């Protein structure tokens, strides 16, 4: 199975500052079609997860452009610029390249 | 897009339960669908996937016990849970590959 390792476990950010979350894959997530199958989700307290980034760097519909995704075949970063209080929650990376699909263990973002 | 799960509840170990996910706002028959679960206070755990042509794939932890299916005429996704174990206790979400999730339904397995 593909293992996704997220870091840090938690991050505390002052509003207006930036935050970065890392996700490392145990295997390349680049498909034969040239698509990197890495996704980022945010689960706000008491809510269902919502898609932020698909295919490593594409912003999902309705997601503020303060969020951005980047990376290589195995190392990925979610960056949140100018963090707002509404950004609190747990961030998960996920791979949908091969079965079983897997998620990272999550990074909790808190506001200072 | 709207996804609404139902059918959860409290069930004894070894018993069965059937979850439903009613879909609207998109052409349900054209898309594959996932079931993903989240144990209390834990992370996300992919359970099963069904393609638009009804091909299925399962996580090892549920293979042989859970069955994913769909009824395109009713725009509904199902998950049949058999031989339930305490470790199956979780919120179960249906989700589209496009990133839409339902609100989830709680399944509690306990005697």
């Amino acid at each position: 199975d593909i293992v996704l390792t997220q870091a840090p476990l938690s991050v505390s950010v002052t509003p207006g500052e930036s935050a970065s979350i890392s996700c490392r894959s145990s295997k390349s997530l680049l498909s034969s079609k040239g698509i990197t199958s890495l996704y980022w989700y945010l689960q706000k307290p008491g809510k269902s997860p919502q898609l932020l980034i698909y295919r490593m760097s594409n912003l999902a519909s309705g997601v503020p452009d303060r969020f951005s995704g980047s990376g290589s075949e195995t190392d990925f970063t979610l960056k949140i610029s100018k963090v707002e209080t509404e950004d609190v929650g747990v961030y998960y990376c996920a791979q949908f390249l091969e079965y079983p699909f897997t998620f990272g263990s999550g990074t909790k973002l808190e506001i200072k | 897009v709207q996804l609404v799960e139902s059918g959860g509840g409290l069930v004894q170990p070894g018993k069965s339960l059937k979850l439903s996910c009613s879909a609207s706002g998109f052409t349900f028959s054209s898309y594959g669908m996932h079931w993903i679960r989240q144990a209390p206070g834990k992370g996300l755990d992919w359970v099963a996937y069904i393609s638009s042509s009804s091909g299925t794939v399962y996580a090892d932890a549920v293979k042989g016990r859970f069955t994913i299916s769909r009824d395109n005429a009713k725009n509904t996704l199902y998950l049949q849970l058999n031989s339930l174990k305490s470790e199956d206790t979780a919120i179960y979400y249906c989700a589209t590959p496009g990133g839409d999730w339902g609100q989830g339904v709680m399944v509690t397995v306990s005697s």
Side-chain angles (χ1 to χ4, degrees):
Chain A
D1 298 1
I2 295 177
V3 176
L4 299 178
T5 303
Q6 286 186 234
L9 259 65
S10 66
V11 60
S12 183
V13 187
T14 300
E17 295 191 340
S18 296
S20 290
I21 299 170
S22 169
C23 177
R24 179 165 292 177
S25 174
S26 62
K27 181 177 176 180
S28 171
L29 298 183
L30 180 63
S31 74
S32 58
K33 296 182 180 179
I35 294 170
T36 304
S37 195
L38 187 281
Y39 295 68
W40 289 98
Y41 294 86
L42 165 59
Q43 187 173 31
K44 296 184 178 181
K47 301 293 186 182
S48 303
Q50 60 181 95
L51 180 66
L52 298 174
I53 301 288
Y54 64 96
R55 296 179 180 177
M56 188 175 72
S57 59
N58 297 278
L59 199 64
S61 178
V63 176
D65 60 7
R66 302 182 289 102
F67 293 88
S68 62
S70 63
S72 62
E73 295 184 20
T74 59
D75 289 278
F76 308 96
T77 301
L78 174 71
K79 183 175 181 181
I80 314 165
S81 62
K82 299 179 182 177
V83 169
E84 298 184 3
T85 55
E86 65 181 28
D87 300 334
V88 297
V90 180
Y91 291 79
Y92 295 94
C93 57
Q95 67 83 17
F96 293 100
L97 177 67
E98 64 179 44
Y99 302 111
F101 299 144
T102 50
F103 291 85
S105 55
T107 296
K108 187 174 184 178
L109 186 144
E110 299 174 323
I111 298 295
K112 282 183 184 177
Chain B
V1 173
Q2 189 171 18
L3 300 168
V4 180
E5 302 94 336
S6 61
L10 173 63
V11 61
Q12 294 179 330
K15 299 295 187 181
S16 299
L17 206 59
K18 189 171 186 176
L19 307 182
S20 300
C21 169
S22 178
S24 60
F26 66 107
T27 307
F28 177 74
S29 60
S30 297
Y31 292 90
M33 294 289 296
H34 298 286
W35 283 102
I36 296 163
R37 68 185 179 183
Q38 186 171 36
K42 302 296 184 181
L44 301 170
D45 187 27
W46 173 79
V47 173
Y49 173 77
I50 185 167
S51 70
S52 57
S53 57
S54 295
T56 59
V57 190
Y58 298 92
D60 284 347
V62 307
K63 200 174 297 182
R65 299 189 300 122
F66 290 9
T67 302
I68 188 172
S69 61
R70 64 191 302 157
D71 184 334
N72 290 335
K74 294 183 178 179
N75 286 346
T76 302
L77 174 73
Y78 301 101
L79 186 67
Q80 177 70 45
L81 294 70
N82 295 334
S83 303
L84 280 161
K85 306 175 182 180
S86 59
E87 52 264 41
D88 296 319
T89 294
I91 297 172
Y92 284 74
Y93 298 98
C94 60
T96 69
D100 298 292
W101 294 54
Q103 85 287 354
V105 62
M106 185 70 204
V107 173
T108 303
V109 183
S110 175
S111 54

